[in-house]
Amino acid sequence: MSVLTENDVRQMLASGQLKEKSEIVVARNRIITPSARTYLLEKGIEIKIEDNPIRELNNMDIEQGIENIKEEFDTLFGAKLTEKPEHMTHLRGNLLVFKDHPRIAFRGAIDSLEAEIIMTQIVAEKKQLSQMIKDLEEIIKFIRNLLRCEVSGEPVGEFKLQGLDAKELREHSHHPSQYYGMRHFLPNYNQGEMVAYLNKLRTLTRETELIAYKAFKDEYGQTKREDIIKSLNRLSSLFWIMMFKYLTGKYKV
């Protein structure tokens, strides 16, 4: 009888095989560990068994099978654990680290940035800025991919945002007069609510970039994930570009 563990679920999410707020179909004779079930619920993933709604997991036969299952976790300090302490979390696979580990702090910063982008989308919807909502949705997908690459160890690779590659993003944000017909400015309340929200996203992105640097730098100050840091740097440039576009009327219907 095979077993679906929390580690299995995490690896499926990291590889893109499974997505949050989706569903997972499990063979009828496969046991789901308690930690795996909890993690699936946390990620909004519905559990289905052979295309049928899942039967209650507190059935006696399931409970008896789970009692004999022990997940084993590794730690950075060499100890092996059979239970995950509340003050520890997964770095990758079954490797546990303390929750204040720099890479866990980075993941939290990405999570906070995504939450603020969604709040900005709500404001944009009230102002009927449909294109801005789409642009922000593209950014959400971009930072989710950054997180996936961080967890899986994959390189970010080349990317475009709003049709601009990394070089063009830098160029457009540094020379707004050439591309948007306006000079650089210091944000202030007179520019309105939308600019204030976009500027907050810019500052949060810069903070996330600094957290990423702390997470990936070595003892000599060199970074192991230059691609992630560069991606965040260009994203902060993009929020400047979005402010230029908004103030010059390019987001009007």
Side-chain angles (χ1 to χ4, degrees):
M1 182 178 294
S2 64
V3 178
L4 180 68
T5 67
E6 180 181 349
N7 181 43
D8 294 330
V9 177
R10 287 180 179 274
Q11 290 181 345
M12 292 167 73
L13 284 167
S15 67
Q17 182 181 352
L18 185 63
K19 297 185 181 299
E20 294 185 21
K21 297 182 180 178
S22 61
E23 65 179 40
I24 182 171
V25 180
V26 182
R28 184 173 297 278
N29 63 345
R30 193 173 193 187
I31 291 177
I32 307 172
T33 65
S35 62
R37 182 171 183 257
T38 299
Y39 191 68
L40 286 166
L41 291 173
E42 288 176 357
K43 296 299 180 182
I45 300 170
E46 183 182 358
I47 307 168
K48 290 188 175 181
I49 293 182
E50 296 181 341
D51 296 327
N52 294 319
I54 188 169
R55 57 195 175 105
E56 291 298 319
L57 290 180
N58 59 0
N59 287 351
M60 185 62 69
D61 58 333
I62 298 295
E63 287 184 348
Q64 289 174 347
I66 289 175
E67 283 178 359
N68 297 320
I69 298 169
K70 294 292 184 181
E71 293 185 74
E72 189 173 82
F73 305 100
D74 294 322
T75 63
L76 291 178
F77 47 87
K80 289 189 177 292
L81 306 174
T82 56
E83 292 185 5
K84 183 171 77 67
E86 288 297 328
H87 63 280
M88 301 188 78
T89 189
H90 292 263
L91 180 62
R92 61 179 181 274
N94 67 339
L95 178 62
L96 298 182
V97 294
F98 297 116
K99 289 187 175 179
D100 64 352
H101 189 282
R103 283 177 60 180
I104 303 305
F106 167 70
R107 294 173 191 178
I110 287 287
D111 198 24
S112 296
L113 178 58
E114 181 179 331
E116 288 294 339
I117 293 173
I118 293 171
M119 293 297 296
T120 305
Q121 283 181 305
I122 293 172
V123 176
E125 183 180 36
K126 292 177 181 178
K127 296 181 179 296
Q128 298 182 332
L129 299 170
S130 58
Q131 185 56 51
M132 183 178 289
I133 293 170
K134 292 177 182 177
D135 287 348
L136 291 169
E137 192 65 29
E138 180 186 34
I139 293 171
I140 287 175
K141 292 177 181 178
F142 177 70
I143 63 173
R144 286 176 179 171
N145 184 60
L146 287 186
L147 185 58
R148 185 187 66 81
C149 290
E150 184 271 322
V151 173
S152 66
E154 296 177 23
V156 175
E158 299 297 324
F159 60 86
K160 282 191 174 185
L161 289 168
Q162 297 180 29
L164 303 174
D165 62 24
K167 182 178 179 181
E168 291 168 330
L169 287 168
R170 184 182 180 88
E171 179 73 15
H172 279 232
S173 67
H174 283 202
H175 304 285
S177 297
Q178 179 179 345
Y179 296 98
Y180 305 101
M182 67 176 296
R183 298 169 63 89
H184 263 291
F185 61 90
L186 293 176
N188 65 74
Y189 74 95
N190 289 313
Q191 291 150 349
E193 184 179 36
M194 202 70 251
V195 171
Y197 272 94
L198 291 171
N199 187 53
K200 184 177 183 181
L201 293 180
R202 179 188 65 83
T203 62
L204 286 174
T205 302
R206 293 301 300 273
E207 289 177 12
T208 304
E209 181 185 350
L210 292 175
I211 293 170
Y213 176 67
K214 291 178 181 179
F216 299 116
K217 71 175 182 178
D218 61 22
E219 58 184 319
Y220 303 107
Q222 300 299 311
T223 177
K224 301 174 182 177
R225 293 305 305 258
E226 188 77 26
D227 56 340
I228 290 178
I229 293 170
K230 178 181 177 180
S231 297
L232 290 167
N233 183 274
R234 297 304 185 269
L235 181 57
S236 67
S237 296
L238 180 59
F239 286 123
W240 270 121
I241 291 170
M242 292 181 72
M243 284 187 275
F244 298 143
K245 289 167 68 174
Y246 177 76
L247 289 172
T248 55
K250 298 188 186 305
Y251 277 117
K252 289 183 179 179
V253 178

